[in-house]
């Protein structure tokens, strides 16, 4: 099982040689093609290693991280050094000085999940500073619980694809429904039904409107509106304006199920700020014709309409506003809780939304409580390291960044996921010690002081399942462990023994015994529910077990049917179109109701004079994030080894560029190289460069160095969505592009650093 689909693997000589998708998968992902050759790839970490400067000079800030060489050490030596350093930091600075946020997707598997392992270990060590929310959903994770009482239910209990295919007349998709993202599901997936569901909707006569600057954000027949990026909230407000002024809003729904519509309407009609949010107002901002918006609003009110908002729209400045305005628009249509109507968030952002959930808790490794009550919003990692002691606002609280001495990372790659990588590199020079567990020499591993070689999921046994997939899968090992790699569990077990809490950490179980224990615990839930599941040995032999799913779900149907019995978990129990709590925080970048804010990185602002192209740094179609960027599917898309950048032929012609050219993409934060792909499915003022090309600085010692490979996060701003959620804003950035005529530097991203024997 992988995050991008279920497969059977063939292996020989310690390497995966072929993978065959699960026959029950309706639309297997091409990303599976990255797996063969990944176990013994040259970028694997072969053994424990310590950065020379750290080994010789001891812990301390160092700007040599990322360019220093490493020294190979034995496992015993590594365990001793690491245990000693953890003890030193705890004794001298306290557990708060350990940052164990360790964000990242790592690999699927319920037991060997790197995050679960590292968090359980650090909790038993006495605690650590953690991170909250995710890079995927930083804004949504804060705003939607305040508006509809939940954020995870929006995906895990979303209106099912079968219901949409059967009931929806008009699907208005802000951000489209990009099929490429549905390849992926955190924790694995056995089926990819989105393409088929959209085709069935169309075959029935349903219509789809895709609102996105990228044509291929929706496959097949659809009406396509290509606005200036970042103007979706203005468009939603204009649609709401037409509903409000043409007596098309469902006032009975707004009265019964919502709170604060009147305050929002005052803003919408311009009573509070003198600016009515008319279609013409939105047309000036978005570039879409006012008449098209008026017509769309009327059509939305005429039938069963589903308003969907992708996650990408909240991964921008003021990202709180798009899902809030989207649910408000759907509330005005009065169809929330009606099959095929209402609101959806995340269709096309990951495979999960639209899939039927299983009714049981999943097998889960218990992590225990964190004795330290200290957390940062996840995307504040550079701020945390650069500004100890500084105060900041977050979700109604005033907090202070702690002074971090040790950073512990397992299963993530901040040089993939974070913004303004030059700033991140400077931030990572600050702590005394950085520890990284990863199977590969990722850019983050190259910036570590203590490097711990992990196994990949091919080299170990595990269980896989997710909350919206019917299969619980036995993951059998396909190859022996590579070189000196160890499971993260074994590393933490050895450390826990050195630090005196071994038996507490292991509970005297081997990895196999843990897997069996988690399975049997889960089986108890199923049996108690009247379901059937075989005993462990039979399950392990069979390979998977099929669970019951809750089919035909409609989001918030219970709330609609009986809002008194099933109120939302908001202060009012209703949909908070106006939130008195948010209003009370008094933030100048997040008011008490959905609001249009002009972002800094957009084509309508002053910055576009200098950097006139809007770059969309979205998720790749050829890999998951940065994982297996060296795999065959990812490599096949590269141009002279560089990440492909799509641009409109007119934008290319203006700059004297042609398909296959290597270009320098730049702004005042940084620059990277990329290879041109011409595509008239983009707006002429928009370019697209996916995330995930491994950061490859021309000069690894210089934080401002150009990335020769095409990582867009050297360009993106390290700013937060707003004072409310402080989410990641990596999706949008303004750039300029020019031909790169210099000698093409080699790609060294996948080369291991120099590792010398003692
Ligand atoms: P991955 O590449 O998945 O990226 O960021 P994330 O850090 O999750 O990193 C996972 C790492 O885990 C890999 O290095 C892999 O080798 C390692 N790994 C795999 N298995 C194991 C294991 O068993 N043990 C250990 N120790 N390691 C393992 C993703 C993040 O990026 C996300 S979720 C989003 S949505 C964001 N999206 C954007 C965006 O839209 N635009 C920009 N510009 N930036 C983004 N960054 C964010």
């Amino acid at each position: 099982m992988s995050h991008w689909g279920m497969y059977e693997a063939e292996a020989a000589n310690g390497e995966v040689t072929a993978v065959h998708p699960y026959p029950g998968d309706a639309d297997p992902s091409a990303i599976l093609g990255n797996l063969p050759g990944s176990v013994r790839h040259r970028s694997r970490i072969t053994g424990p290693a310590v950065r020379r400067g750290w080994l010789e000079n001891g812990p301390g800030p160092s700007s040599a991280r990322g360019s220093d060489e490493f020294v190979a050490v034995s496992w015993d030596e590594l365990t001793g050094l690491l245990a000693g350093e953890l003890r030193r930091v705890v004794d001298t600075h306290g557990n708060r000085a350990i940052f164990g946020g360790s964000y990242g997707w790592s690999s699927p598997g319920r037991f060997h999940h790197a995050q679960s392992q590292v968090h359980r270990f650090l909790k038993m060590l006495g605690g650590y500073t953690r991170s909250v929310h995710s890079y995927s959903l930083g804004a949504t994770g804060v705003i939607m619980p305040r508006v509809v009482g939940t954020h995870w239910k929006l995906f895990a209990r979303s209106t099912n694809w079968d219901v949409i295919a059967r009931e929806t007349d008009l699907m208005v998709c802000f951000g489209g429904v990009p099929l490429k993202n549905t390849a992926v599901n955190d924790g694995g997936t056995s089926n990819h039904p989105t393409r088929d569901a959209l085709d069935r909707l169309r075959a029935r006569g349903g219509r789809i409107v895709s609102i996105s600057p990228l044509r291929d954000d929706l496959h097949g027949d659809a009406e396509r509106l290509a606005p200036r990026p970042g103007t979706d909230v203005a468009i939603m407000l204009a649609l709401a304006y037409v509903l409000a002024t043409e007596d098309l809003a469902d006032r009975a729904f707004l009265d019964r199920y919502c709170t604060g519509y009147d305050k929002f309407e005052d803003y919408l009609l311009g009573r509070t700020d003198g600016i009515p949010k008319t279609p013409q107002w939105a047309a000036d901002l978005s570039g879409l014709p006012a008449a098209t918006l008026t017509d769309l609003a009327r059509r939305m009110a005429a039938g069963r309409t589903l308003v969907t908002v992708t996650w990408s729209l909240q991964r921008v400045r003021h990202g709180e506003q798009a899902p809030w305005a989207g649910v408000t628009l759907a509330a005005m249509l009065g169809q929330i809780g009606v099959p095929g109507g209402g609101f959806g968030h995340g269709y096309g952002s990951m495979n999960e939304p639209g899939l039927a959930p299983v009714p049981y808790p999943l097998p889960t490794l218990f992590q225990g409580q964190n004795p330290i009550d200290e957390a940062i919003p996840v995307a504040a990692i550079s701020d945390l390291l650069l500004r100890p002691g500084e105060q900041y606002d977050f979700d109604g609280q005033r907090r202070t960044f702690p002074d971090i001495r040790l950073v512990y990372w397992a299963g993530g790659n901040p040089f993939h996921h974070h913004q303004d990588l030059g700033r991140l590199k400077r931030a990572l020079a600050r702590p005394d010690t950085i520890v990284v567990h990863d199977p590969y020499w990722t850019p983050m591993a190259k910036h570590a002081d203590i490097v711990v070689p992990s196994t990949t999921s091919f080299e170990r046994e595990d269980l896989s399942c997710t909350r919206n997939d019917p299969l619980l899968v036995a993951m059998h090992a396909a190859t022996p462990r590579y070189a000196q790699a160890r499971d993260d569990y074994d590393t933490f077990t050895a450390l826990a023994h050195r630090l005196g809490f071994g038996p507490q950490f292991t509970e005297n179980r081997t990895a196999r015994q843990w897997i069996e224990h988690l399975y049997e615990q889960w089986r108890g839930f199923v049996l108690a529910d009247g379901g059937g599941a075989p005993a462990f040995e039979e399950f392990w032999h069979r390979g998977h077990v099929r669970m019951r799913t809750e089919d035909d779900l409609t989001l918030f149907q219970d709330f609609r049917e009986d809002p008194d019995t099933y109120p939302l978990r908001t202060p009012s129990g209703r949909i908070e179109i106006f939130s008195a709590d948010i209003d009370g925080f008094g933030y100048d970048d997040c008011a008490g109701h959905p609001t249009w804010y002009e972002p800094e990185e957009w084509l309508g602002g002053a910055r576009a004079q200098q950097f006139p192209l809007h770059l969309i740094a979205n998720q790749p179609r050829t890999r998951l994030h940065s994982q297996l960027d060296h795999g065959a599917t990812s490599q096949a898309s590269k141009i002279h080894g560089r990440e492909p950048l799509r641009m409109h032929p007119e934008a290319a012609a203006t700059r004297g560029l042609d398909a296959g050219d290597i270009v320098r993409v730049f702004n005042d934060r940084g620059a990277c190289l990329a290879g041109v792909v011409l595509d008239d499915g983009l707006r002429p003022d928009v370019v697209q460069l996916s995330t995930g090309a491994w950061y490859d600085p021309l000069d690894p010692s210089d934080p401002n160095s150009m990335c020769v490979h095409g990582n867009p996060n050297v360009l993106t701003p390290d700013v937060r969505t707003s004072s409310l959620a402080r989410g990641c804003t990596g999706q949008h950035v303004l750039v300029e592009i020019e031909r790169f005529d210099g000698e093409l530097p080699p790609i060294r991203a996948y080369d291991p650093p120099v590792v010398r024997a003692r």
Side-chain angles (χ1 to χ4, degrees):
M1 178 64 92
S2 68
H3 290 302
W4 47 93
M6 196 167 151
Y7 56 81
E8 279 289 334
E10 283 178 39
N13 303 322
E15 182 56 280
V16 172
T17 51
V19 291
H20 306 287
Y22 173 57
D25 190 337
D27 192 13
S29 166
I31 302 178
L32 286 173
N34 287 329
L35 291 171
S38 61
V39 174
R40 304 183 65 85
H41 190 268
R42 72 176 192 283
S43 58
R44 280 300 296 271
I45 304 171
T46 52
V50 180
R51 186 172 68 78
R52 181 174 292 286
W54 192 93
L55 199 59
E56 290 176 355
N57 308 324
S62 173
S63 52
R65 291 193 179 109
S67 55
D68 208 353
E69 61 180 39
F70 288 84
V71 176
V73 295
S74 68
W75 269 112
D76 197 46
E77 215 175 342
L78 178 127
T79 308
L81 283 169
L82 186 43
E85 176 58 0
L86 286 165
R87 183 49 61 217
R88 180 192 76 83
V89 172
V90 169
D91 290 348
T92 320
H93 305 285
N95 284 71
R96 202 173 294 266
I98 298 176
F99 179 64
S102 187
Y103 180 78
W105 271 52
S106 64
S107 51
R110 300 298 297 173
F111 177 66
H112 289 292
H113 180 237
Q115 304 304 315
S116 309
Q117 292 289 343
V118 67
H119 294 152
R120 180 176 156 86
F121 170 78
L122 290 175
K123 283 170 183 169
M124 289 184 189
L125 182 69
Y128 61 99
T129 295
R130 67 190 209 283
S131 63
V132 291
H133 300 297
S134 66
Y135 277 79
S136 300
L137 285 161
T140 287
V142 175
I143 187 71
M144 293 319 262
R146 293 190 173 279
V147 175
V148 292
T150 179
H151 79 289
W152 66 270
K153 277 190 186 173
L154 294 174
F155 331 124
R157 303 192 65 79
S158 56
T159 300
N160 196 253
W161 275 125
D162 287 336
V163 176
I164 296 171
R166 205 170 57 224
E167 306 282 352
T168 305
D169 298 326
L170 181 64
M171 204 170 161
V172 179
C173 308
F174 289 90
V177 182
L179 277 183
K180 66 177 174 59
N181 300 333
T182 65
V184 167
N185 207 52
D186 190 2
T189 192
S190 67
N191 192 17
H192 295 91
T194 307
R195 184 192 302 271
D196 173 61
L198 292 174
D199 288 345
R200 280 190 284 144
L201 171 106
R202 283 187 278 243
R204 222 193 71 242
R207 300 290 299 161
I208 304 174
V209 178
S210 175
I211 301 172
S212 169
L214 306 179
R215 185 163 62 203
D216 61 359
D217 272 346
L218 208 120
H219 89 280
D221 181 37
E223 296 166 45
R224 292 186 166 80
L225 304 178
R228 267 189 189 144
T231 60
D232 299 84
V233 172
I235 296 166
M236 292 174 193
L237 292 175
L239 298 171
Y241 182 92
V242 176
L243 300 181
T245 55
E246 298 193 2
D247 202 20
L248 296 173
D250 186 335
R251 304 273 166 182
F253 184 89
L254 292 169
D255 286 348
R256 176 100 174 89
Y257 297 96
C258 305
T259 182
Y261 173 73
D262 50 341
K263 288 199 172 61
F264 169 69
E265 196 184 73
D266 285 345
Y267 165 75
L268 190 66
L269 302 185
R271 291 186 197 120
T272 48
D273 63 354
I275 304 172
K277 313 302 174 298
T278 63
Q280 189 54 54
W281 167 82
D284 293 342
L285 295 169
S286 67
L288 299 181
T292 304
L293 299 181
T294 305
D295 176 59
L296 178 59
R298 290 174 186 157
R299 287 167 58 204
M300 288 169 79
R304 187 65 56 88
T305 297
L306 182 66
V307 177
T308 70
V309 176
T310 51
W311 295 350
S312 54
L313 299 194
Q314 54 83 64
R315 212 173 298 129
V316 298
R317 217 28 201 129
H318 305 292
E320 294 85 353
Q321 303 303 321
W324 198 0
V327 84
T328 299
L329 181 59
M332 291 175 74
L333 292 167
Q335 298 178 18
I336 290 175
V338 174
F343 178 67
H345 189 22
Y347 292 107
S349 300
M350 197 171 80
N351 201 32
E352 179 181 81
L355 302 189
V358 294
Y360 320 112
L362 304 180
T364 300
L365 178 65
F366 181 65
Q367 291 180 16
Q369 294 297 316
N370 187 352
I372 299 294
D373 183 20
E374 185 74 72
I376 59 158
V378 68
I381 172 71
S382 293
D383 293 339
L384 167 74
L385 299 178
L386 290 168
R387 300 174 177 169
E390 191 170 301
Q391 292 202 324
Y392 63 100
D393 287 312
F394 174 53
D395 198 15
Q397 301 158 31
R398 190 123 257 255
R399 293 190 179 189
T400 306
F401 288 120
D403 188 2
I404 297 299
R405 299 303 175 119
L406 186 146
V407 171
Y408 208 120
W409 225 285
N413 181 6
F415 279 95
H416 161 69
H417 64 232
H418 197 60
Q419 286 60 61
D420 196 344
L421 296 182
R423 184 166 188 258
L424 175 70
K425 193 171 163 66
R426 278 186 284 272
L428 289 175
R430 298 291 294 266
D432 292 349
T433 299
I434 298 180
V435 186
V436 171
H437 291 213
D438 206 291
Y440 297 96
W441 278 112
T442 64
M444 185 60 183
K446 289 178 183 170
H447 281 77
D449 301 306
I450 299 181
V451 178
V452 184
S454 303
T455 50
T456 66
S457 52
F458 284 123
E459 297 149 69
R460 58 195 186 216
E461 300 176 331
D462 213 330
L463 289 173
S464 163
C465 60
T466 69
R467 58 192 180 190
N468 289 62
D469 194 282
L471 298 192
L472 177 79
V473 179
M475 295 171 71
H476 299 146
T479 68
R481 288 175 175 189
Y482 174 67
Q484 294 186 60
R486 278 189 182 171
D487 297 350
D488 295 316
Y489 176 65
D490 292 348
T491 304
F492 288 126
T493 298
L495 277 172
H497 281 302
R498 273 299 161 108
L499 289 160
F501 56 91
Q504 194 191 344
F505 183 75
T506 63
E507 296 182 17
N508 297 319
R509 291 191 187 96
T510 62
R512 167 57 92 90
Q513 286 167 335
W514 268 109
I515 291 165
E516 181 165 354
H517 170 71
L518 295 181
Y519 177 85
E520 290 297 348
Q521 251 183 355
W522 166 86
R523 183 166 168 253
F525 298 129
V526 178
L527 298 182
D529 186 59
F536 180 76
E537 284 308 328
E538 192 187 332
F539 154 71
W540 197 251
H541 178 69
R542 245 199 247 171
H544 64 257
V545 50
R546 188 168 285 276
M547 295 178 265
R548 181 165 78 76
T549 51
E550 294 181 68
D551 299 333
D552 274 351
L553 266 185
T554 290
L555 180 68
F556 297 137
Q557 190 164 16
D558 51 356
F559 166 65
R560 182 177 188 111
E561 285 169 3
D562 188 349
D564 298 323
T565 309
Y566 303 104
L568 301 183
R569 300 178 74 143
T570 56
S572 61
R574 304 186 196 172
I575 299 169
E576 300 230 334
I577 294 176
F578 176 84
S579 161
D581 286 346
I582 296 176
D583 185 58
F585 300 153
Y587 296 144
D588 58 5
D589 53 4
C590 191
H593 54 70
T595 303
W596 157 255
Y597 292 97
E598 188 177 318
E600 294 79 9
E601 304 276 339
W602 80 304
L603 292 164
R607 204 172 144 76
Q609 305 291 321
Q610 204 184 350
F611 304 112
L613 293 170
H614 190 118
L615 187 151
I616 297 188
N618 58 0
Q619 305 294 325
R621 67 183 62 243
T622 56
R623 58 185 171 258
L624 165 67
H625 307 313
S626 69
Q627 295 197 33
L628 306 183
D629 183 31
H630 39 68
T633 303
S634 181
Q635 288 300 309
S637 73
K638 309 251 178 184
I639 296 172
H640 302 298
R642 323 290 136 162
E643 191 62 17
L645 172 135
R646 291 193 295 159
M647 69 191 303
H648 193 278
E650 276 173 28
T654 315
R655 291 165 177 77
L657 300 171
D658 213 339
D661 284 350
I662 298 300
V663 288
R664 181 172 161 269
V665 191
F666 64 96
N667 62 18
D668 48 1
R669 274 175 222 107
C672 66
L673 299 184
V676 171
V677 173
L678 299 181
D679 187 341
D680 66 3
L682 279 70
R683 282 173 57 104
D685 48 10
V686 167
V687 293
Q688 182 266 325
L689 176 65
S690 296
T691 59
W694 284 19
Y695 174 62
D696 197 350
L698 191 58
D699 175 358
S701 67
D702 176 7
N704 299 322
S705 185
M706 175 173 77
C707 170
V708 303
H709 190 189
N711 185 327
N713 277 329
V714 296
L715 304 159
T716 48
D718 188 10
V719 294
R720 309 282 73 79
T721 52
S722 82
S723 311
L724 184 82
R726 292 202 169 267
C728 157
T729 65
Q731 189 77 186
H732 287 177
V733 62
L734 293 176
V735 299
E736 179 52 293
I737 291 180
E738 63 184 16
R739 183 197 306 281
F740 180 75
D741 284 325
E743 193 179 328
L744 213 48
I747 300 290
R748 292 177 299 186
Y750 317 120
D751 294 343
V754 174
V755 184
R756 297 200 193 279
R758 273 275 211 197

